[in-house]
Amino acid sequence: MKHDLGRSLSPAPSVDDDPVAAFRAARADVEAILADPGLATRPCDTPSGRLPVERHVDQVVSEDLPLHGWDLARATSQDDTIDPEDVELAWASVRAVPDELMEKLRTPGAFGPDIEVFGPEVKLGEDASPQDRLLAFIGRDPHWRP
């Protein structure tokens, strides 16, 4: 699969066969792009609009991974507390998204087959914690249990 950068992903085992090796291969691909100033600063299309590659990578790592960490922790009945600084960063980021783009982000398939960025907002009471408000805004039910 080719992306805006005209590069293909390196050969790697499937996540099902060897998740650690698949992760390491993906990380090496990203690190190689970030190490090349010409590629790192090149604009690319993202769900957040057109951004330099390095900004998009930072956005995914800094803002998206803590949310997926919550998914994994909640699904496996572990401590699912997100660092308050990460909550604040992600909240500021998602609240800054224009309504038109947020609608697209909530539309399944808008960025390709089987891609769903955010689900419909989950309604919570006024007394919800900042973490719960963030999760609900992006379509996760903070009260869900496995």
Side-chain angles (χ1 to χ4, degrees):
M1 170 186 284
K2 289 211 181 226
H3 298 282
D4 282 3
L5 301 176
R7 296 172 61 116
S8 297
L9 296 173
S10 299
S14 75
V15 172
D16 290 335
D17 292 339
D18 190 343
V20 173
F23 172 80
R24 287 181 176 147
R27 182 180 63 196
D29 285 341
V30 172
E31 287 173 343
I33 290 168
L34 293 176
D36 180 334
L39 292 175
T41 59
R42 186 180 298 175
C44 68
D45 292 320
T46 77
S48 298
R50 198 145 175 84
L51 299 172
V53 170
E54 60 193 358
R55 174 65 187 119
H56 181 56
V57 169
D58 180 50
Q59 199 173 51
V60 170
V61 173
S62 299
E63 298 170 17
D64 205 32
L65 287 182
L67 300 173
H68 291 301
W70 179 88
D71 296 330
L72 292 170
R74 178 57 61 103
T76 57
S77 300
Q78 298 181 59
D79 179 9
D80 57 19
T81 304
I82 302 172
D83 183 298
E85 289 182 30
D86 290 333
V87 169
E88 189 176 325
L89 177 69
W91 182 250
S93 179
V94 297
R95 296 303 295 165
V97 173
D99 290 341
E100 319 74 66
L101 177 55
M102 185 55 72
E103 185 177 325
K104 188 174 180 183
L105 291 168
R106 292 186 193 283
T107 303
F111 294 96
D114 301 319
I115 295 176
E116 184 173 337
V117 181
F118 295 142
E121 183 173 0
V122 174
K123 299 300 177 196
L124 298 178
E126 293 294 318
D127 61 339
S129 71
Q131 176 176 308
D132 286 356
R133 283 196 309 271
L134 169 64
L135 293 166
F137 186 76
I138 63 171
R140 286 160 172 80
D141 181 351
H143 301 297
W144 176 85
R145 297 280 179 215

